[in-house]
Amino acid sequence: MGELIRSAWLGWQGFISDGKVMALFLAALLFLLMRPGKTVKGPFVSYAAVMAACCTAPFTAALLMLYQTGFYGYEWVWSLVPVTAVTAYGFAEFMAEYWKELKVSLWKKGLPAALLLLGVLLLCGGLGKTVWSRGEEAREREHAQALLRELKARCGDGELCLWAPENVMEYAREFDGGIQLVYGRNMWELSLNAYTYDTYDPSVTELYHWMRQSDLEIPDGNGNEEGMAAARRCAQTAQGRGVNCILLPENASGDKVAVLEETLGVSAERLEGCYLLLF
């Protein structure tokens, strides 16, 4: 349960860091609940306030995550809260009060204010997603294809089973449908799993997390026995899964490369900014 609570807390932090829509929702909710001389109109706002509190508090959010099963992430608990409807209702009530108290006409003052609020809402709705760059994607594809072309040339007609960083594996089957992968894009793009409940074996999941670490360095000597044991375990798992080609990112340390060389009995070489182990 403690791990679930921690996951809920981290999920909330990630949820509010993606954009400002939640700030608008909470502002609208507080306006509806706290405006002087006004009462909450019906159970709609009361329900939204209670459910928002339950989704925000780590303990109750963890209970909701337990109820929805582990297949869904934290952000899905907010489907129980009418975020869009409450935000729109709060903005509408604010505009109605604004017009009434200042006694201004809709066309002279009300419409510009409404357009301003709409602009704020649109600017807050980007959810912090990375801007897609056609040029950057083209460069990644070109680099991956250069690596894959060289690997296919070395393997000849033999079967190639690859374990590599995701920016290489992402384009492997696009380049050649005959290339086998130890795991596919659905490992990091969970939406590709749709509503299936099939999951990878924990040992394969460990391969992915081990490979995707931004800093693969292991201190010299025996200062990190756990890290070296993990590297050795992943090499054995990959070999047992039929992998015969491993690419490591260029920031992998010599110690880590040496662990894989010793475990697999091969020598690594540099190829297009990566370490290649072909066996």
Side-chain angles (χ1 to χ4, degrees), residues 185-198:
R185 283 176 54 196
N186 61 329
M187 175 67 83
W188 61 87
E189 292 187 21
L190 299 181
S191 60
L192 298 179
N193 289 315
Y195 292 96
T196 64
Y197 287 82
D198 296 332

Side-chain angles (χ1 to χ4, degrees), residues 16 18-26 83-84 87 121 124-127:
I16 61 176
D18 285 338
K20 302 178 180 63
V21 171
M22 289 308 301
L24 293 178
F25 163 72
L26 294 175
V83 174
T84 303
T87 304
L121 182 61
C124 292
L127 298 180

Side-chain angles (χ1 to χ4, degrees), residues 168-197:
V168 176
M169 296 181 70
E170 182 176 4
Y171 301 107
R173 300 300 295 273
E174 175 186 309
F175 175 76
D176 187 333
I179 297 177
Q180 301 298 314
L181 305 175
V182 67
Y183 48 78
R185 283 176 54 196
N186 61 329
M187 175 67 83
W188 61 87
E189 292 187 21
L190 299 181
S191 60
L192 298 179
N193 289 315
Y195 292 96
T196 64
Y197 287 82

Side-chain angles (χ1 to χ4, degrees), residues 1 22 44 92 135 184 208 269:
M1 188 64 181
M22 289 308 301
F44 174 67
Y208 167 68
E269 61 178 292

Side-chain angles (χ1 to χ4, degrees), residues 70-236:
F71 179 73
Y72 301 96
Y74 167 81
E75 63 275 4
W76 287 97
V77 301
W78 282 92
S79 61
L80 297 170
V81 186
V83 174
T84 303
V86 170
T87 304
Y89 177 44
F91 273 44
E93 287 291 312
F94 174 79
M95 291 301 299
E97 194 121 341
Y98 173 77
W99 292 333
K100 180 180 178 181
E101 292 184 1
L102 297 183
K103 298 180 179 180
V104 295
S105 67
L106 172 65
W107 296 107
K108 289 183 178 180
K109 297 291 184 180
L111 184 59
L115 292 176
L116 177 62
L117 290 177
L118 180 60
V120 170
L121 182 61
L122 292 175
L123 290 174
C124 292
L127 298 180
K129 296 188 177 182
T130 304
V131 177
W132 175 69
S133 171
R134 183 184 297 273
E136 183 178 350
E137 182 185 12
R139 286 190 294 272
E140 279 192 1
R141 178 182 281 108
E142 184 178 352
H143 179 255
Q145 289 182 350
L147 285 167
L148 295 166
R149 192 176 298 110
E150 179 63 24
L151 295 179
K152 286 296 293 181
R154 296 192 183 199
C155 289
D157 295 331
E159 185 178 273
L160 176 62
C161 186
L162 180 65
W163 177 35
E166 61 186 66
N167 58 359
V168 176
M169 296 181 70
E170 182 176 4
Y171 301 107
R173 300 300 295 273
E174 175 186 309
F175 175 76
D176 187 333
I179 297 177
Q180 301 298 314
L181 305 175
V182 67
Y183 48 78
R185 283 176 54 196
N186 61 329
M187 175 67 83
W188 61 87
E189 292 187 21
L190 299 181
S191 60
L192 298 179
N193 289 315
Y195 292 96
T196 64
Y197 287 82
D198 296 332
T199 57
Y200 284 103
D201 186 271
S203 61
V204 178
T205 305
E206 184 184 23
L207 292 180
Y208 167 68
H209 288 295
W210 187 86
M211 179 64 74
R212 75 184 293 266
Q213 294 173 19
S214 60
D215 184 4
L216 295 178
E217 293 186 0
I218 297 178
D220 293 335
N222 297 323
N224 192 342
E225 292 294 339
E226 183 179 350
M228 299 182 79
R232 189 174 296 108
R233 185 171 59 250
C234 287
Q236 293 170 345

